[in-house]
Amino acid sequence: KDKMGYMEADTVVLAECLYKTMELLNCNITTLPYTATGIPRRDIKRIGKKNKAKIKYNNCLMEYEDYVFAEKVYHGGYSHANRFYVGQILKGNIQAFDFSSSYPAVLLIEKYPIETFTPVDMDADEIIRLMNDYAFMFNLILVNPVLKMEQPMPALQLSKCETAINPLIDNGRVVEASYIKVPITEQDLYIIMQQYDYDAIYITDCRAAIKDYLPRWLTDYIYQLYYDKCTLKTGDPVLYDIQKAKLNSIYGMHVQKCIRYDNVEDYTTGEYYVDETEDPRELYRKYTKKWGTILPYQWGVWCTAYALKNLFTLGAAAGTWLYSDTDSCYGLNWNLEAVAQYNDNVQQKLKARGYEPIILDGKEYVIGTAALDGEYTEFITQGAKRYACRLPDGSVKITVAGVP
């Protein structure tokens, strides 16, 4: 009887949550989005159609081969622990800094490829010299790369390498190797060249496109979502969660896969299989021709690349960089002047784009800046997604993947 009561309450609560969400989104059970990404999709399509976004999309539509390459170049967030301190209890003034809406911020203030990619012949130094005005994606080849001793957090990701000979790995990241070949962007190259020593460096299969800021209709929408999220911080928690989901989903809309095969059920066995009989080129053509497809995939690729570079810039301000997860850095002996300088640079970029800080109830909110998220007396990590901090009052904050 107790279990039946629990099951009934569990179901009723879920139903009430769905009804409340549908009420707030002004939709019904047939139009309710499956995921958070679907919440802002309707707005984007509506505003984009009004601003003729499909024309802009077609201007920077990638060839099929370039799209396939961009998928290889794309990477997600960075979750890693300093290998020199794994398993050790560290004591002192440990501070954590956190970016305010990291991905939406770089969509607002950075430049993205706005034309189709063209094959070019470039070396690494030329790419770095032109990286402010041009987007590059290419295969990077390093001979005998070795992570510099003063770099505790390697950027090179083994799973992205097409070739890796004799790699020495730190939780999926390359510390050294005899030879690697990896597809990356110019933003990734900037980090790697600072982090690694190597005997030789080569660039192959290089493609380039002019960069510019994202269209104003899109960045204004992102900024409005950030404003709405800030105003709801102390308001209705459901509305706040929806607004936060909308803001964070803008990036996800850019990296929807363009080629998606059908999952088909065999009604005799009840099993599913992936139907890969359709030509992927035709699937790509169909997806890109839809009137609602207006956000280029490559903008999402560069979004995470910019965010990674920002994370490494912030991490360099820590005297001892202990741990990071996508938009946060834990460390000892921070150079607070360097953090302030980073934040000032972000504010200057926002101002140049016409976006001022948001001031509510005397508090200032600046998207993309690094804010102090916590101060701790002790810290320990066992690796990515596994760490604990002791607060000054003696209580412990713990983060372990899969553990509530």
Side-chain angles (χ1 to χ4, degrees):
K1 185 177 178 181
D2 289 345
K3 287 182 179 177
M4 291 299 289
Y6 174 85
M7 288 162 63
E8 181 182 344
D10 212 31
T11 306
V12 170
V13 165
L14 179 58
E16 288 183 355
C17 286
L18 285 170
Y19 283 125
K20 179 67 173 175
T21 305
M22 288 187 287
E23 178 190 324
L24 292 169
L25 294 178
N26 192 29
C27 62
N28 58 45
I29 199 68
T30 65
T31 56
L32 182 68
Y34 292 137
T35 66
T37 307
I39 297 175
R41 185 176 283 123
R42 291 175 299 179
D43 293 342
I44 288 289
K45 286 180 178 178
R46 176 176 52 79
I47 303 168
K49 187 177 182 181
K50 193 185 298 183
N51 288 274
K52 299 179 179 174
K54 191 65 178 176
I55 296 171
K56 184 87 169 177
Y57 177 84
N58 289 334
N59 287 342
C60 54
L61 178 62
M62 291 187 287
E63 297 292 334
Y64 169 76
E65 289 78 12
D66 292 334
Y67 165 72
V68 172
F69 193 79
E71 266 202 357
K72 295 177 183 177
V73 167
Y74 166 70
H75 58 72
Y78 184 89
S79 183
H80 202 77
N82 186 326
R83 66 189 182 281
F84 297 116
Y85 297 100
V86 168
Q88 297 180 36
I89 295 177
L90 298 162
K91 299 177 186 289
N93 183 23
I94 294 130
Q95 294 175 304
F97 283 88
D98 203 338
F99 288 123
S100 173
S101 301
S102 174
Y103 286 176
V106 295
L107 289 171
L108 277 183
I109 63 177
E110 301 295 353
K111 293 181 178 180
Y112 293 80
I114 56 157
E115 62 174 7
T116 54
F117 282 87
T118 304
V120 291
D121 186 13
M122 290 275 176
D123 64 30
D125 291 332
E126 287 175 308
I127 288 171
I128 296 298
R129 183 168 55 84
L130 297 170
M131 68 184 288
N132 290 331
D133 299 311
Y134 291 88
F136 297 95
M137 58 179 182
F138 49 88
N139 279 316
L140 170 69
I141 295 173
L142 294 176
V143 179
N144 292 325
V146 179
L147 188 68
K148 296 175 182 176
M149 274 303 296
E150 68 272 17
Q151 298 287 345
M153 311 285 269
L156 270 172
Q157 196 172 341
L158 180 67
S159 64
K160 304 300 292 186
C161 293
E162 292 196 342
T163 308
I165 299 174
N166 300 326
L168 177 63
I169 305 304
D170 170 28
N171 193 35
R173 302 279 169 175
V174 178
V175 176
E176 62 178 84
S178 300
Y179 174 98
I180 63 153
K181 177 183 178 184
V182 59
I184 60 170
T185 71
E186 79 285 350
Q187 302 299 315
D188 307 311
L189 177 67
Y190 179 83
I191 300 169
I192 291 165
M193 289 182 72
Q194 286 187 332
Q195 282 204 319
Y196 290 83
D197 291 319
Y198 39 81
D199 291 344
I201 182 170
Y202 304 101
I203 305 294
T204 65
D205 303 311
C206 189
R207 303 152 163 89
I210 291 174
K211 285 198 292 197
D212 203 351
Y213 295 112
L214 297 185
R216 179 61 65 169
W217 68 265
L218 177 58
T219 57
D220 283 352
Y221 178 69
I222 294 169
Y223 185 74
Q224 183 62 47
L225 290 180
Y226 180 72
Y227 178 86
D228 293 343
K229 186 188 105 167
C230 292
T231 59
L232 289 167
K233 267 185 182 292
T234 55
D236 186 319
V238 178
L239 269 176
Y240 174 76
D241 281 346
I242 289 175
Q243 212 57 43
K244 187 178 178 181
K246 286 175 74 172
L247 177 65
N248 293 339
S249 297
I250 295 297
Y251 146 74
M253 290 176 63
H254 286 87
V255 284
Q256 296 289 308
K257 285 201 171 187
C258 301
I259 300 169
R260 286 175 282 188
Y261 295 105
D262 282 339
N263 293 297
V264 183
E265 183 182 2
D266 183 326
Y267 291 113
T268 306
T269 64
E271 294 178 346
Y272 286 86
Y273 64 93
V274 180
D275 181 7
E276 295 182 332
T277 56
E278 193 163 357
D279 181 5
R281 291 173 181 272
E282 181 60 19
L283 286 172
Y284 180 67
R285 189 193 69 78
K286 282 181 183 177
Y287 182 84
T288 56
K289 289 294 180 187
K290 290 179 184 174
W291 73 267
T293 306
I294 55 175
L295 296 179
Y297 180 83
Q298 60 268 38
W299 291 355
V301 174
W302 262 260
C303 175
T304 59
Y306 279 124
L308 182 67
K309 191 176 82 169
N310 290 344
L311 185 74
F312 273 82
T313 304
L314 179 61
T320 305
W321 187 1
L322 300 174
Y323 181 85
S324 269
D325 190 351
T326 307
D327 62 355
S328 65
C329 284
Y330 289 75
L332 277 162
N333 305 319
W334 282 86
N335 180 346
L336 297 180
E337 285 186 12
V339 176
Q341 187 175 358
Y342 175 87
N343 286 341
D344 185 60
N345 186 43
V346 171
Q347 291 207 45
Q348 292 302 321
K349 286 184 176 182
L350 284 166
K351 193 173 181 181
R353 296 282 290 130
Y355 297 114
E356 296 293 333
I358 295 166
I359 300 173
L360 296 166
D361 299 325
K363 187 172 181 181
E364 186 177 77
Y365 299 90
V366 184
I367 190 170
T369 52
L372 184 64
D373 189 49
E375 294 189 89
Y376 310 99
T377 58
E378 289 181 289
F379 177 88
I380 185 171
T381 176
Q382 297 289 0
K385 306 286 185 184
R386 290 166 290 162
Y387 63 94
C389 319
R390 190 180 301 283
L391 284 80
D393 64 6
S395 61
V396 172
K397 182 184 89 169
I398 184 167
T399 298
V400 179
V403 180

